[in-house]
Amino acid sequence: MDARVTHKILICLGSSCHSRGNADNLKIIKDFLKERQIESRIDFRGHLCNEMCKRGPVIEIDDIVFEGITQSNINSILSNHFDKTTCI
């Protein structure tokens, strides 16, 4: 991992999570990182199913799993995590 990377975000892009909202959440996360100019410090990757389909859409931030992600709660989750941690 690049020495500048200080955080990791994994977004499930399996068919269930993708169709239930992670397709839209993907853009929201990208916009969030770009607005804060921290995208170069985040290892942001998609992955396929982790067998958590019934709890999805799912994202993982720094080894913390967030379930039931929606367009109405994703910004709050991101803000709460990244406002409490440093990206430097």
Side-chain angles (χ1 to χ4, degrees), residues 3 5-8 20-21 39 46 48 67 69-70 81-82 88:
V5 172
T6 58
H7 295 279
K8 184 175 183 179
R20 292 170 61 195
E39 62 265 43
L48 295 179
E67 303 170 352
I69 302 303
T70 65
H81 186 82
F82 290 105
I88 298 173

Side-chain angles (χ1 to χ4, degrees), residues 7-64:
H7 295 279
K8 184 175 183 179
I9 300 174
L10 293 174
I11 184 169
C12 181
L13 297 176
S15 59
S16 178
C17 284
H18 188 267
S19 66
R20 292 170 61 195
N22 268 355
D24 296 321
N25 293 334
L26 178 66
K27 180 177 178 355
I28 293 169
I29 294 169
K30 284 181 180 181
D31 290 346
F32 178 92
L33 299 176
K34 186 175 182 177
E35 287 170 9
R36 285 165 175 73
Q37 300 177 349
I38 59 174
E39 62 265 43
S40 66
R41 300 183 192 270
I42 309 296
D43 179 11
F44 180 36
R45 299 175 189 218
H47 66 87
L48 295 179
C49 188
N50 276 350
E51 306 299 324
M52 294 189 279
C53 302
K54 292 182 180 179
R55 298 182 282 173
V58 176
I59 66 169
E60 184 178 319
I61 304 173
D62 295 334
D63 299 321
I64 301 168

Side-chain angles (χ1 to χ4, degrees), residues 69-80:
I69 302 303
T70 65
Q71 290 180 7
S72 61
N73 69 12
I74 185 74
N75 278 312
S76 175
I77 290 168
L78 294 168
S79 293
N80 285 335

